[in-house]
């Protein structure tokens, strides 16, 4: 652990067609999880297992989802980097105290039951940064 940070959890990749993206990674030989819907965010995701660290393929479930505008403006590709943290509430308080620009002042539900929050790219050298706290059971 480094100052409450616990390594890269996953790298998020925005895709238009989840089935096609999943098929592409399966064709490359990667294990790929079943789809998981995040209806409150308008997203459906699958995780690609790289052996250490995962790729999260994100596709919109509806035209007003949070990645629809990203796809329209920038197309498919790298969307965010997710770093695991030991204590998300403590980390958000610390970042707020340091003047970081947060998209989420309080955690929201992420995939696999994790609590997550996003840091604005303006505070992270142009990269959308997701912070994720794993649930106690490590699900
Ligand atoms: Co993510």
């Amino acid at each position: 652990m480094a100052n409450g940070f616990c390594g890269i959890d996953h790298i998020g990749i925005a895709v238009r067609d989840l089935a096609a993206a999943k098929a592409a990674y399966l064709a490359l030989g990667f294990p790929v999880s079943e789809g998981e819907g995040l209806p409150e965010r308008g997203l459906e995701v699958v995780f690609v297992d790289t052996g250490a660290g995962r790729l999260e393929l994100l596709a919109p479930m509806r035209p007003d989802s949070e990645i629809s505008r990203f796809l329209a403006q920038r197309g498919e590709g790298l969307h965010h980097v997710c770093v695991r943290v030991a204590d998300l509430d403590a980390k958000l308080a610390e970042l707020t105290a340091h003047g970081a620009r947060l998209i989420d002042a309080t955690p929201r539900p992420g995939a696999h039951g994790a609590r997550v929050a996003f840091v604005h790219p303006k505070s992270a050298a142009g990269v959308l940064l997701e912070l994720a706290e794993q649930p106690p059971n490590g699900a």
Side-chain angles (χ1 to χ4, degrees):
M1 194 182 337
N3 202 23
F5 295 110
C6 312
I8 290 179
D9 185 82
H10 63 267
I11 293 170
I13 298 171
V15 304
R16 289 197 174 89
D17 180 335
L18 195 60
K22 180 174 177 174
Y25 278 87
L26 284 171
L28 292 170
F30 289 101
V32 182
S33 73
E34 292 300 309
E36 178 179 356
L38 298 172
E40 67 282 355
R41 293 168 60 190
L43 298 179
E44 188 176 12
V45 305
V46 298
F47 284 94
V48 177
D49 183 357
T50 73
R54 302 173 297 166
L55 307 178
E56 177 185 43
L57 307 179
L58 315 110
M61 294 173 77
R62 51 176 195 255
D64 64 343
S65 87
E66 65 184 48
I67 61 162
S68 296
R69 196 165 68 119
F70 178 93
L71 283 166
Q73 290 179 344
R74 300 170 67 170
E76 294 185 306
L78 179 63
H79 180 260
H80 66 272
V81 172
C82 178
V83 173
R84 198 177 298 181
V85 297
D87 183 336
L88 185 55
D89 296 304
K91 184 57 74 181
L92 290 175
E94 182 188 319
L95 294 179
T96 299
H98 285 102
R101 187 162 161 191
L102 304 179
I103 292 174
D104 302 301
T106 56
R108 57 166 128 168
H112 300 324
R115 300 164 73 232
V116 307
F118 285 87
V119 178
H120 196 280
K122 284 208 161 39
S123 285
V127 173
L128 177 61
L129 182 63
E130 179 180 14
L131 303 175
E133 180 186 89
Q134 294 305 110
N137 63 10

